[in-house]
Amino acid sequence: MSGGTAEHVVVEDFFGVIKLFSDGSIVRGDEITITLPGPFPDAPGVQWKDAVYDAARGLNVRVYRPSPAAAAGSEGDNNNKLPVLVYFHGGGYCIGAYDQPMFHSFCQRLAAAIPAVVLSVQYRLAPEHRLPAAVDDAATFFSWLRAQAALGGGDAAAEPWLAESADFSRTFVSGVSAGANLAHHAVVQIASGEIVLEPPVRVAGYVLVSAFFVSEERTATESDPPAGVSLTVAMADQLWRMALPVGATRDHPLANPFAPGSPNLEPLPLPPALVVAPGRDVLFGHVLRYAARLKEMGKAVELAEFAEERHGFSVGQPSEATEELMGILKRFVHHHAALS
């Protein structure tokens, strides 16, 4: 056997969807083998289209806006303009896409239910692009959003739907799983001034659903997982190994927001947070800890627990639980949009 062949061995195999080899090469398979089963219905009356926010990297944002009737019935008084909800998809930073059916359907339902202009953001995936690549992409996206807010409706560079429908002073940042982790880091960078936003853009709140936080110290739900989990401890560990810089531990600041070296959240002017915690999730303990630590710091935080739901339930098929979640999201956005 040649030396080159010997070095070309699989070091990570995530259900055949990602194969990472010892020489750094990566082979991807079809994600349909591990995605949630449909159907994922469209929301009546919601329009959507893609726009480019980073031409150099070919990164898009999918813009959703509800029907004129829904927009006219919104509670805003800013010429019937709507709150803006930025959304980052999940997938452990390694899989998933902003245009996958489950995320596409969820964003449509968000746009219709709140109602809001929803911006679903594409970002680079690991292990081809290890962290902090996705965090850098989020910063680039918010720079684009700031520029869009500064443009007049007649400017050729302006995205017409944003110019017509978006109230940038009522912007919310959200995400599911790794997308919730990414939303957290984006909000922290905004609060610290590392990402600069200028009026009229203002973050009025943020929403973390099934947040993808870990640490070297195991929580009770990792040591003794609930029955029937959709994300196992081994899966989470493997995704973090492929997403973090080579050699990093689960106490890297991008994985554990309270690890040594992580930003001190206490002095930061964080916006109000909604933290959604499904009980049948090995990461449940980390999500509860996040909400508790924010409360200890005196931050405005609302915790919504779904005892019988699994990790990522929010983007599954519509159910009683997803309808309840949609109602909670709607109330959170309306309450904090009114205060902005």
Side-chain angles (χ1 to χ4, degrees):
M1 182 179 290
S2 69
T5 303
E7 293 174 1
H8 191 70
V9 296
V10 176
V11 293
E12 300 285 358
D13 185 348
F14 191 75
F15 299 98
V17 172
I18 302 173
K19 289 186 178 181
L20 174 62
F21 292 85
S22 53
D23 62 1
S25 61
I26 298 157
V27 175
R28 284 188 176 265
D30 193 337
E31 288 189 19
I32 197 167
T33 59
I34 59 170
T35 54
L36 294 171
F40 302 107
D42 290 336
V46 174
Q47 299 174 298
W48 61 271
K49 66 177 177 178
D50 289 349
V52 177
Y53 78 85
D54 186 345
R57 294 192 174 103
L59 295 174
N60 295 333
V61 56
R62 182 158 289 185
V63 184
Y64 300 83
R65 68 173 179 178
S67 67
S74 69
E75 297 181 5
D77 59 359
N78 185 15
N79 297 318
N80 286 326
K81 289 194 174 183
L82 299 170
V84 174
L85 183 71
V86 176
Y87 182 79
F88 295 105
H89 69 80
Y93 283 119
C94 296
I95 58 174
Y98 77 108
D99 56 357
Q100 276 184 339
M102 58 186 177
F103 300 121
H104 179 61
S105 174
F106 182 69
C107 287
Q108 288 185 69
R109 288 183 279 138
L110 276 175
I114 293 177
V117 175
V118 176
L119 303 177
S120 185
V121 184
Q122 181 184 21
Y123 55 88
R124 288 173 292 166
L125 298 179
E128 293 90 340
H129 305 282
R130 289 178 178 265
L131 291 168
V135 179
D136 293 341
D137 294 341
T140 301
F141 168 77
F142 280 105
S143 295
W144 176 86
L145 191 68
R146 180 186 65 199
Q148 285 292 316
L151 295 173
D155 194 301
E159 168 47 54
W161 287 8
L162 293 181
E164 295 165 8
S165 303
D167 180 359
F168 295 100
S169 69
R170 299 184 289 161
T171 295
F172 293 79
V173 184
S174 68
V176 62
S177 191
N181 179 292
L182 185 52
H184 159 80
H185 290 296
V187 166
V188 168
Q189 289 189 350
I190 292 167
S192 67
E194 191 172 343
I195 294 176
V196 177
L197 297 182
E198 299 170 347
V201 184
R202 175 183 173 272
V203 175
Y206 70 111
V207 180
L208 307 186
V209 183
S210 305
F212 194 50
F213 296 134
V214 291
S215 66
E216 282 295 296
E217 181 182 0
R218 298 297 192 188
T219 64
T221 48
E222 288 174 306
S223 300
D224 185 17
V229 296
S230 57
L231 175 75
T232 67
V233 173
M235 289 165 62
D237 288 353
Q238 186 176 20
L239 289 166
W240 277 116
R241 285 198 304 270
M242 294 190 293
L244 289 170
V246 174
T249 73
R250 294 189 305 274
D251 277 336
H252 188 284
L254 292 177
N256 178 2
F258 306 113
S262 295
N264 182 3
L265 305 184
E266 192 158 7
L268 297 181
L270 296 177
L274 169 62
V275 178
V276 179
R280 291 171 59 192
D281 184 356
V282 296
L283 303 182
F284 181 67
H286 290 288
V287 176
L288 292 187
R289 181 183 68 166
Y290 181 85
R293 291 289 294 272
L294 289 186
K295 286 183 179 180
E296 290 170 4
M297 296 174 191
K299 309 300 183 186
V301 56
E302 176 183 343
L303 176 65
E305 294 187 45
F306 288 79
E308 298 303 317
E309 298 305 316
R310 303 192 299 177
H311 185 87
F313 79 97
S314 62
V315 295
Q317 293 183 41
S319 65
E320 186 175 322
T322 62
E323 288 304 306
E324 181 184 353
L325 174 60
M326 203 64 67
I328 292 170
L329 290 170
K330 180 177 181 177
R331 288 193 297 274
F332 179 82
V333 169
H334 282 198
H335 176 71
H336 293 288
L339 298 178
S340 62

